[in-house]
């Protein structure tokens, strides 16, 4: 049994007809018209994205552009501009990362978020999802569909439930009812071929998997059998993994001539510490540990670290780095390389103590 | 060296040395107390190179001289002895500590290894009122940070003026300041930064006894003579923040609280605050203040306090611990909280405190 504290709130955000919507946004003459983004019909191009107007004609992504044109003779074909889509995607991801660092992008147009703990202090995943949709629309003029559920697989199915501009929520108590109605091919990873094989064995609905003979199931879907059985119970404990979670950041420089002047060394260290602080602010992170690296003229290299409450304040990081410098032979031994880095990063401003604003001594 | 001393007198002194001697230190001699037998006194000295304590007690000296003994072990032994005379005696085999039928031989370290400490110079000599100083230390020392890299915050600023004394401590989030009117006896203003440990040990020395405290400021050291015991402290070198600047002047919203009711409300409500931030919110409305908290893990709590307030409603959050730190050292029945808005520093003061002026500035939490 899950108690309410262990139930996760997972949001799946899926941008509606993403590439096509970006094109329609930027080129007003395309609005209201069937648009397909992709390659030329006569060079075996395929549809990368279709606007909702085009979908009405049966134009889907991944079909050949030639077929798309046959289905919809008035189709407007637009060559993809991935640089632009990437930029918009980045903009959307930034919005998502404002609420939690646990954002797992699946592609340019969809991502999972774990909002169980979130920066807005919202208890309901639904409220988070609605706010995210609003913010995405405000910032990009694009719509997204969102699914909210206790796990990834349900969240993803939910986001596809009502499109475009949808918001579907599967609260824990409705998971079972939801599963009961789910056809087996609603699952990601179950394509038409697998679905046909499963149906041939009498497995129509996902919940039918529960009662299927395990051996037979294995014969039909191979290694997916265990996974399917889990999903059929509504279980999916895959965590949301933010892919590019940085572990540290820092810089170092080797000097043209060895440094011996302590003031100059301090200035260099302070400048690098400022950069590290600026990076933390940009990434909305806090660092617990500041490390400095000193390479003396004879190439002996030492590092000194200091760990305390997380911070991203420039003063604090510079202060820590300079205090660490005191623990080296800087000024007494010539230095050829200096480095400053921040580690032990965290995103929780509450853990950081930095929600405790500082007394404004310097103003 | 050979001397006999009353157990209780020796124990009382040795106890005061326990905070001075550091458990972890890389210089072995610093674990020892230097003992000198001279005249009819046993003199003691211990230091961690930041703070030192000189003390003495009456003794029957058989043979003058000096030696060092481990401060902790000696204390443990003396503490375990019955109420009797203790004999400390050095012979060619080592140092003997004996009492009654108990006999022991202790390891010693060469007296020559013991660091030399400066003596008072007579510069900036001042007389400090003991009880006021005690109040000042107790009301500020908790606001000093433990391990801040901004090392000047690891101490408290002590300012002596011809007619007043000020002690200020801050950890950058809150600031505690005590002002006392007193004819100090310095010709002009003297400002020094005292290490946290100095304040802590000074506080212990002030616990019992009477009489003013003599203060001297040397080249790099400060001397506090508390009833014959002298605390010697290194001065922290650095610029203490311009504390006057963060004490707000225009906090126009004032709310008086019964200290005990506020203390218990904050304590209770804080039980369900976020464990790390310890934030409690004060929702200030017409004639009432609701103290609230919430924790995603445990739930939420609120408690209403009746107050006399007619201004605009305001909500402000504080670290509960910071509020309690203040309330715990105040004795008056009433305290007043003055605010400007939810983001600017708040001020708490005792109402009707006698003999000192206490100002506590807290930065609210951003929530």
């Amino acid at each position: 049994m899950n108690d309410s504290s262990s139930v996760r709130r997972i949001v799946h955000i899926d941008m509606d007809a993403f590439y096509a919507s970006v094109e329609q946004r930027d080129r007003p003459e395309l609005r209201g018209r069937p648009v397909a983004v992709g390659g030329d019909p006569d060079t075996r191009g395929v549809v990368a994205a279709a606007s909702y107007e085009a979908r009405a004609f049966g134009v889907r992504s991944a079909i050949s552009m030639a077929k798309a044109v046959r289905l919809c003779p008035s189709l407007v074909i637009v060559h993809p501009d991935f640089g632009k889509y990437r930029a918009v995607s980045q903009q959307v991801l930034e919005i998502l990362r404002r609420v939690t660092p646990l954002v797992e992008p699946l592609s340019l147009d969809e991502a999972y978020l774990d909002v169980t703990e979130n920066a807005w202090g919202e208890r309901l995943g639904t409220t988070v999802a609605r706010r995210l949709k609003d913010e995405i629309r405000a910032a990009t003029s694009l719509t997204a569909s969102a699914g909210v559920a206790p796990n990834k697989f349900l969240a993803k199915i939910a986001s596809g439930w009502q499109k475009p501009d949808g918001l579907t929520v599967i609260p824990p108590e409705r998971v079972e009812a939801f599963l009961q109605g789910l056809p087996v091919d609603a699952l990601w990873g179950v394509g038409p071929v697998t679905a046909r094989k499963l149906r041939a064995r009498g497995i129509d609905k996902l919940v039918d998997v529960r009662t299927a003979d395990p051996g037979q199931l294995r014969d039909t879907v191979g290694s997916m059998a265990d996974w399917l059985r889990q999903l059929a119970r509504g279980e999916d404990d895959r965590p949301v993994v933010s892919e590019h979670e940085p572990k540290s950041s820092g810089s170092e420089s080797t000097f043209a001539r060895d440094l011996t002047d302590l003031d100059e060394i301090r200035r260099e260290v302070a400048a690098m510490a400022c950069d590290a602080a600026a990076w933390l602010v940009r990434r909305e992170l806090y660092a617990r540990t500041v490390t400095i690296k000193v390479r003396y003229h004879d190439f002996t290299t030492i590092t000194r670290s200091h760990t305390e409450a997380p911070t991203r304040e420039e003063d604090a990081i510079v202060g820590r780095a300079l205090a660490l410098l005191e623990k080296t032979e800087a000024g007494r031994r010539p230095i050829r390389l200096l480095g400053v880095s921040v580690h032990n990063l965290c995103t929780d401003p509450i853990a950081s103590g930095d929600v405790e604003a500082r007394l404004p001594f310097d103003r | 060296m050979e001397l006999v001393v009353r157990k209780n007198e020796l124990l009382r002194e040795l106890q005061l040395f326990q905070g001075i001697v550091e458990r972890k230190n890389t210089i072995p001699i610093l674990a020892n107390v230097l003992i000198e037998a001279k005249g009819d006194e046993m003199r003691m000295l211990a230091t961690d190179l930041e703070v030192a304590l000189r003390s003495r007690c009456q003794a029957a000296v058989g043979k003058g001289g000096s030696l060092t003994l481990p401060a902790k072990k000696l204390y443990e032994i003396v503490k375990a002895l019955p109420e009797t005379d203790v004999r400390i005696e050095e012979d060619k085999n080592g140092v003997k500590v004996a009492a009654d039928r108990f006999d022991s031989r202790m390891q010693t370290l060469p007296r020559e290894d013991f660091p030399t400490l400066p003596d008072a110079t007579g510069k900036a000599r001042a007389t400090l009122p003991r009880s006021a100083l005690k109040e000042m230390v107790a009301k500020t020392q908790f606001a000093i940070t433990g391990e801040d890299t901004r090392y000047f915050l690891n101490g408290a600023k002590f300012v002596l003026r011809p007619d007043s004394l000020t002690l200020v401590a801050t950890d950058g989030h809150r600031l505690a300041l005590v002002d006392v009117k007193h004819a100090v006896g310095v010709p002009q203003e003297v400002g020094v930064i005292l290490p946290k440990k100095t304040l802590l040990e000074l506080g212990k020395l002030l616990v019992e006894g009477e009489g003013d405290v003599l203060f001297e400021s040397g080249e790099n050291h400060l001397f506090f003579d508390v009833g014959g015991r002298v605390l010697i402290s290194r001065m922290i070198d650095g610029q203490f923040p311009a504390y006057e600047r963060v004490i707000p002047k225009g906090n126009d919203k004032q709310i008086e609280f019964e200290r005990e009711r506020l203390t218990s409300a904050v304590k209770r409500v804080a039980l369900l605050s976020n464990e790390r931030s310890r934030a409690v919110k004060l929702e200030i409305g017409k004639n009432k203040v609701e103290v609230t908290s919430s924790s995603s893990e445990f739930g939420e709590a609120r408690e209403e306090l009746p107050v006399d307030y007619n201004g605009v409603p305001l909500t402000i959050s504080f670290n509960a611990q910071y509020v309690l730190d203040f309330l715990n050292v105040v004795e008056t029945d009433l305290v007043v909280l003055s605010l400007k808005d939810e983001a600017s520093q708040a001020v708490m003061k005792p109402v009707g405190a006698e003999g000192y002026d206490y100002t506590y500035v807290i930065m609210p939490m951003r929530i």
Side-chain angles (χ1 to χ4, degrees):
Chain A
M1 286 298 285
N2 281 326
D3 60 11
S4 66
S5 66
S6 68
V7 171
R8 294 182 297 161
R9 295 167 197 73
I10 308 295
V11 177
H12 181 252
I13 294 281
D14 195 353
M15 299 299 293
D16 300 318
F18 183 52
Y19 306 158
S21 302
V22 172
E23 294 301 340
Q24 287 181 318
R25 177 192 75 173
D26 295 348
R27 294 166 59 181
E29 75 274 16
L30 298 180
R31 290 180 198 162
R33 296 178 64 188
V35 174
V37 175
D40 279 331
D42 26 42
T43 58
R44 301 185 180 178
V46 293
V47 175
S51 72
Y52 283 92
E53 295 83 347
R55 290 181 194 199
F57 291 94
V59 177
R60 298 268 178 276
S61 52
I63 66 168
S64 77
M65 195 57 89
K67 186 180 175 193
V69 174
R70 273 202 305 281
L71 288 168
C72 173
S74 60
L75 190 69
V76 184
I77 299 169
V78 178
H79 288 283
D81 179 353
F82 285 106
K84 182 157 79 181
Y85 310 147
R86 217 167 281 127
V88 181
S89 175
Q90 207 50 48
Q91 211 183 341
V92 172
L93 284 175
E94 267 173 37
I95 294 170
L96 303 184
R97 288 194 178 112
R98 264 182 235 155
V99 70
T100 173
L102 289 178
V103 174
E104 181 180 345
L106 294 177
S107 60
L108 290 183
D109 57 357
E110 53 175 310
Y112 287 117
L113 291 84
D114 186 336
V115 301
T116 315
E117 297 272 351
N118 61 73
W120 295 335
E122 292 284 1
R123 285 163 192 218
L124 293 176
T126 320
T127 321
V128 175
R130 188 170 300 126
R131 238 174 112 173
L132 284 173
K133 275 162 54 73
D134 289 348
E135 298 210 14
I136 290 169
R137 189 201 293 267
T140 66
S141 312
L142 297 171
T143 61
S145 293
V148 183
N151 62 43
K152 279 173 142 184
F153 112 85
L154 289 169
K156 181 159 169 114
I157 294 173
S159 73
W161 217 244
Q162 303 162 282
K163 263 185 154 295
D165 204 9
L167 172 59
T168 306
V169 183
I170 309 174
E173 66 274 15
R174 291 224 328 263
V175 166
E176 183 56 29
F178 188 83
L179 288 172
Q180 291 292 344
L182 213 57
V184 78
D185 56 0
L187 292 184
W188 192 76
V190 177
V193 180
T194 314
R196 209 178 306 127
K197 283 199 239 167
L198 287 167
R199 283 202 189 93
R201 307 246 175 219
I203 299 172
D204 231 341
K205 297 269 175 78
L206 179 60
V207 287
D208 296 336
V209 169
R210 295 178 186 172
T211 48
D213 172 60
Q216 221 177 51
L217 189 65
R218 183 160 296 280
D219 289 346
T220 319
V221 297
S223 58
M224 259 177 74
D226 288 343
W227 174 231
L228 267 185
R229 257 198 304 277
Q230 261 191 48
L231 297 188
R233 293 194 300 267
E235 291 169 15
D236 173 10
D237 54 12
R238 288 173 301 161
V240 173
V241 184
S242 52
E243 264 178 294
H244 304 294
E245 207 165 285
K247 297 271 186 290
S248 69
S249 170
S251 55
E252 50 184 56
S253 39
T254 305
F255 303 100
R257 48 171 187 84
D258 293 349
L259 300 187
T260 49
D261 177 39
L262 195 52
D263 283 337
E264 190 178 356
I265 295 165
R266 285 203 183 110
R267 274 199 300 278
E268 294 290 345
V269 167
M272 287 189 268
C274 285
D275 290 347
W279 179 86
L280 288 170
V281 170
R282 274 200 307 281
R283 301 300 298 258
E284 310 245 327
L285 291 167
Y286 300 82
R288 288 192 185 84
T289 307
V290 175
T291 300
I292 68 162
K293 180 171 167 183
V294 175
R295 179 168 295 149
Y296 299 110
H297 64 113
D298 59 357
F299 282 88
T300 49
T301 306
I302 55 150
T303 58
R304 294 288 178 264
S305 291
H306 176 87
T307 300
E308 69 173 82
T311 183
R312 64 177 175 217
E313 279 183 39
E314 196 176 282
D315 283 1
I317 301 214
V318 170
R320 290 186 198 185
L322 289 178
L324 288 169
L325 197 60
E326 302 292 314
K327 298 186 184 172
T328 70
E329 290 172 79
R332 296 192 293 276
R333 255 171 105 177
I335 288 174
R336 54 176 293 125
L337 173 145
L338 283 170
V340 175
S341 54
V342 286
H343 315 256
N344 241 323
L345 307 178
C346 62
T347 48
D348 190 346
I350 290 168
S352 77
D354 269 76
V355 284
E356 280 169 21
R358 288 200 169 272
L359 291 164
F361 284 115
D362 310 321
R363 263 170 255 150
Chain B
M1 194 204 85
E2 189 190 329
L3 61 80
V4 176
V5 60
R6 291 295 303 168
K7 180 242 175 172
N8 279 356
E9 282 181 40
L10 179 58
L11 183 64
R12 194 183 59 218
E13 300 310 314
L14 287 175
Q15 198 154 13
L16 294 168
F17 283 98
Q18 300 310 301
I20 305 283
V21 174
E22 284 293 327
R23 276 171 209 286
K24 308 174 284 183
N25 77 66
T26 46
I27 309 170
I29 192 78
L30 297 184
N32 282 20
V33 54
L34 174 66
I35 298 170
E36 284 180 290
K38 201 176 177 186
D40 53 0
E41 275 181 352
M42 169 183 179
R43 298 183 185 182
M44 284 156 275
L45 173 66
T47 183
D48 68 348
L49 298 181
E50 184 173 68
V51 183
L53 179 64
R54 266 188 219 283
S55 169
R56 63 189 71 196
C57 57
Q58 277 222 324
V61 176
K63 196 171 150 203
S66 62
L67 54 85
T68 76
L69 283 176
K72 303 269 180 227
K73 259 309 160 217
L74 182 61
Y75 170 68
E76 286 168 19
I77 288 173
V78 173
K79 196 176 168 193
L81 289 175
E83 163 75 78
T84 176
D85 288 342
V86 183
R87 168 182 296 274
I88 301 175
E89 188 183 334
E90 188 178 31
D91 57 27
K92 55 185 184 302
N93 297 320
V95 179
K96 227 170 108 167
V97 177
D100 209 2
R101 297 181 190 196
F102 174 81
D103 203 356
S104 69
R105 194 166 290 280
M106 290 182 78
Q107 294 290 336
T108 176
L109 286 170
R111 189 250 168 278
E112 297 69 41
D113 290 356
F114 204 88
T116 0
L117 281 141
D119 281 313
T121 57
K123 194 173 139 197
R125 205 179 172 105
T127 314
L128 316 177
R130 187 184 189 116
S131 59
L133 192 59
K134 196 166 127 189
E135 292 295 324
M136 296 175 89
V137 173
K139 288 180 168 50
T140 53
Q141 66 173 359
F142 59 83
I144 306 175
T145 64
E147 293 281 309
D148 205 290
T149 43
R150 292 162 303 162
Y151 54 98
F152 47 82
L153 291 187
N154 293 326
K157 174 102 175 180
F158 189 39
V159 185
L160 299 95
R161 297 188 192 85
D163 58 350
S164 73
L165 283 173
T166 304
L167 192 58
V168 195
T170 179
D171 61 6
H173 299 296
R174 32 76 183 268
L175 176 144
L177 179 148
V178 182
D179 258 320
V180 169
K181 295 274 167 265
H182 178 78
V184 178
V186 286
Q188 71 235 21
E189 183 173 318
V190 180
V192 292
I193 304 178
L194 306 178
K196 179 176 187 154
K197 186 165 170 177
T198 303
L199 233 53
L200 204 73
E201 296 306 320
L202 184 59
K204 289 182 196 166
L205 293 181
L206 292 167
V207 169
E208 53 178 55
E210 282 169 9
D212 285 347
V213 175
L214 289 175
F215 171 78
E216 285 190 45
S217 165
E219 192 74 26
N220 298 304
H221 289 80
L222 306 167
F223 304 86
F224 292 89
D225 186 328
V226 186
R229 300 183 183 115
V230 182
L231 190 70
I232 305 164
S233 166
R234 201 176 54 83
M235 247 186 270
I236 292 187
D237 193 16
Q239 194 67 44
F240 199 76
Y243 61 90
E244 297 93 340
R245 252 187 271 169
V246 301
I247 301 171
K249 300 277 182 280
N251 283 10
D252 53 341
K253 298 164 190 69
Q254 308 227 330
I255 304 126
E256 272 191 11
F257 293 91
E258 286 174 43
R259 176 176 55 86
E260 279 175 11
R261 285 179 89 158
L262 180 61
T263 309
S264 356
V266 171
K267 270 188 193 157
R268 281 191 282 263
V269 169
L271 293 173
L272 290 183
S273 64
N274 179 299
E275 279 207 308
R276 286 175 299 203
S277 75
R278 297 275 277 134
V280 290
K281 209 184 266 183
L282 303 187
E283 298 172 22
I284 301 157
K286 189 174 158 52
N287 293 334
K288 65 166 187 182
V289 171
E290 289 207 63
V291 185
T292 73
S293 67
S294 80
S295 141
S296 53
E297 211 175 328
F298 300 115
E300 52 188 60
R302 61 174 54 226
E303 179 159 343
E304 192 182 301
L305 295 170
V307 295
D308 188 10
Y309 181 73
N310 268 314
V312 286
L314 189 70
T315 296
I316 190 162
S317 298
F318 297 113
N319 179 324
Q321 193 53 53
Y322 292 176
V323 177
L324 292 173
D325 281 344
F326 166 80
L327 294 170
N328 287 340
V329 295
V330 171
E331 307 88 359
T332 57
D333 291 342
L334 297 176
V335 295
V336 62
L337 170 70
S338 346
L339 306 168
K340 178 164 171 265
D341 51 44
E342 52 282 303
S344 307
Q345 51 279 43
V347 177
M348 297 188 82
K349 284 175 93 78
V351 177
E354 275 175 35
Y356 62 89
D357 183 47
Y358 187 19
T359 307
Y360 189 61
V361 183
I362 324 184
M363 204 61 194
M365 298 180 88
R366 304 185 206 114
I367 287 195

